[in-house]
Amino acid sequence: MNHQSDQYYIDKVLAGEVNAFSELVERYQSLVHTVVLRMVKNKEQAEEVAQDTFVKAYQSLSKYRGDAKFSTWLYTIAYRKSLDAIKAAKRMMASEIIEDISEGEMELVNDALGYLQNKERKQIISDSIMKLPEDEAAIITLYYFEEKSVKEIVEIIGLTADNVKIKLYRSRKKLYSILKYYILPEISAENGRAI
């Protein structure tokens, strides 16, 4: 496993060693693809947008100033490329009908996300996130799966911290609404309660 810093490879690329960029691609390709897929909701289109993200990052590498982490800068490009792809395709998202959720049920959201981490449940989580609107899917992915802070998400998607927090709260509620049919029977069974 290579433990060199991102800046090490950036410096090599800028010094003319273009093959060093492949290390950055390898390091971030899975994460970029995940964020993009959850926004564009189409595997083939996600692959294309992820590739475009890395092309744009390579072409713009000399403009990277290091003010933010390279990953944050790269996710910003991925987010914007995803939005461009969505607009270009003029896709209409069907609004999900979200049930009213009590505050008591909301407390289960954090438990639910932690509870659903094992391998056989990752697909349920991924499918559920795909049902969220693009921007909310990106925020949930960046916050919970890429472990980005609210400040980093603000840099990536260009909203205020308050807007990100509101979207994160609403997205968790929507995600819980989608996931609760998978979660509640299992949580109740684990706690010895019947539904």
Side-chain angles (χ1 to χ4, degrees):
M1 175 135 203
N2 197 331
H3 297 290
Q4 293 290 347
S5 72
D6 293 341
Q7 192 62 49
Y8 171 82
Y9 293 110
I10 292 167
D11 291 342
K12 287 184 89 137
V13 172
L14 294 176
E17 294 182 45
V18 295
N19 289 338
F21 192 73
S22 65
E23 292 293 332
L24 295 170
V25 172
E26 189 173 316
R27 188 172 285 183
Y28 293 106
Q29 67 185 353
S30 177
L31 305 175
V32 166
H33 185 267
T34 299
V35 170
V36 171
L37 178 62
R38 290 193 175 149
M39 289 185 68
V40 301
K41 302 181 187 332
N42 176 288
K43 186 177 179 182
E44 292 78 21
Q45 189 178 23
E47 290 170 2
E48 186 177 318
V49 172
Q51 185 175 3
D52 289 348
T53 296
F54 284 107
V55 169
K56 175 71 172 176
Y58 177 78
Q59 293 170 339
S60 303
L61 201 55
S62 63
K63 296 176 187 171
Y64 172 67
R65 304 218 188 293
D67 298 337
K69 286 193 260 181
F70 176 75
S71 61
T72 300
W73 182 75
L74 186 61
Y75 290 138
T76 302
I77 295 170
Y79 181 80
R80 290 181 180 153
K81 286 284 183 189
S82 297
L83 289 179
D84 290 345
I86 292 164
K87 288 176 188 171
K90 296 181 183 175
R91 296 181 346 111
M92 300 284 289
M93 290 299 300
S95 297
E96 292 286 332
I97 298 174
I98 306 302
E99 300 175 16
D100 290 330
I101 300 173
S102 71
E103 290 302 314
E105 288 177 317
M106 274 302 294
E107 292 175 15
L108 293 175
V109 171
N110 290 332
D111 292 338
L113 290 173
Y115 183 78
L116 291 171
Q117 289 301 309
N118 66 36
K119 272 195 172 199
E120 66 266 8
R121 293 193 175 98
K122 284 187 178 181
Q123 190 61 46
I124 293 170
I125 294 170
S126 181
D127 292 347
S128 298
I129 290 172
M130 295 290 278
K131 293 179 181 179
L132 293 173
E134 295 88 356
D135 60 337
E136 294 176 2
I139 289 171
I140 287 286
T141 300
L142 290 169
Y143 188 79
Y144 285 105
F145 298 99
E146 306 304 326
E147 299 180 357
K148 296 293 182 189
S149 67
V150 169
K151 181 181 177 187
E152 289 173 311
I153 295 171
V154 164
E155 291 176 30
I156 291 169
I157 63 175
L159 295 174
T160 66
D162 287 339
N163 282 344
V164 169
K165 289 176 187 175
I166 289 167
K167 283 187 173 283
L168 188 57
Y169 174 77
R170 289 179 181 161
S171 300
R172 284 193 313 235
K173 279 182 78 169
K174 290 176 182 180
L175 185 58
Y176 177 74
S177 178
I178 295 166
L179 286 172
K180 77 177 182 178
Y181 296 104
Y182 298 107
I183 304 165
L184 289 181
E186 293 182 30
I187 290 176
S188 295
E190 187 174 273
N191 294 328
R193 292 179 296 177
I195 292 194

